[in-house]
């Protein structure tokens, strides 16, 4: 599957995920291994498409800010499913710092 096809399928799949699960719409921190649960719920969706859809959520500013803001990761039902570690929060700080450093300077 080409990158372009995978990207288009992931975008469409993400729309479905946002409609079905509030955590994808709000960018709350996701449970570690949530891709496995999605694979069992959506066996017709190729694994690379699921992983790309998740990547499109977790590599956003809002998601990274929420990793810093909250203590718990959530499962698909919106229930706590693990703690966010200090290291993960530090990685989120680093992501945001790198993102901000790429923005053009305004005067």
């Amino acid at each position: 599957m080409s990158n372009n096809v995978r990207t288009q399928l992931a975008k469409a799949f993400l729309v479905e995920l946002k409609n079905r699960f509030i955590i994808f719409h709000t960018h709350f921190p996701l449970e570690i291994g949530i891709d496995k649960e999605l694979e069992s719920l959506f066996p017709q969706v190729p694994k690379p498409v699921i992983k790309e859809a998740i990547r499109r959520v977790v590599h956003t500013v809002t998601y990274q800010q929420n990793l810093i803001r909250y203590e718990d990761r959530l499962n698909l039902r919106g229930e706590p499913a693990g703690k966010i570690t200090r290291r993960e929060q530090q990685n989120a700080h680093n992501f945001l710092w790198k993102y901000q450093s790429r923005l053009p300077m305004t005067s």
Side-chain angles (χ1 to χ4, degrees):
M1 169 183 327
S2 74
N3 286 341
N4 191 34
V5 169
R6 184 178 65 235
T7 298
Q8 295 307 313
L9 291 172
K11 286 179 181 179
F13 183 55
L14 188 52
V15 168
E16 182 174 349
L17 291 176
K18 286 180 178 183
N19 288 331
R20 289 188 59 177
F21 305 105
I22 187 89
I23 60 168
F24 285 99
H25 184 69
T26 58
H27 292 153
F28 280 113
L30 301 173
E31 174 182 26
I32 300 292
I34 205 162
D35 57 318
K36 304 296 183 214
E37 189 172 357
L38 290 172
E39 288 170 11
S40 68
L41 289 173
F42 300 95
Q44 73 281 9
V45 179
K47 290 179 185 181
V49 171
I50 292 173
K51 291 191 181 286
E52 176 68 17
I54 293 170
R55 188 192 69 71
R56 291 181 159 278
V57 172
V58 302
H59 286 123
T60 63
V61 169
T62 304
Y63 185 88
Q64 297 297 316
Q65 289 170 333
N66 285 341
L67 277 175
I68 296 165
R69 186 175 296 132
Y70 297 107
E71 295 178 7
D72 294 317
R73 293 177 170 279
L74 302 180
N75 62 22
L76 292 176
R77 294 169 300 287
E79 302 163 339
K83 296 290 184 191
I84 298 166
T85 66
R86 297 294 301 151
R87 183 171 180 89
E88 290 166 334
Q89 290 178 326
Q90 185 59 49
N91 289 342
H93 277 288
N94 292 342
F95 175 96
L96 293 170
W97 182 84
K98 288 176 186 175
Y99 174 81
Q100 187 174 21
S101 69
R102 290 188 309 225
L103 295 177
M105 299 292 281
T106 58
S107 50

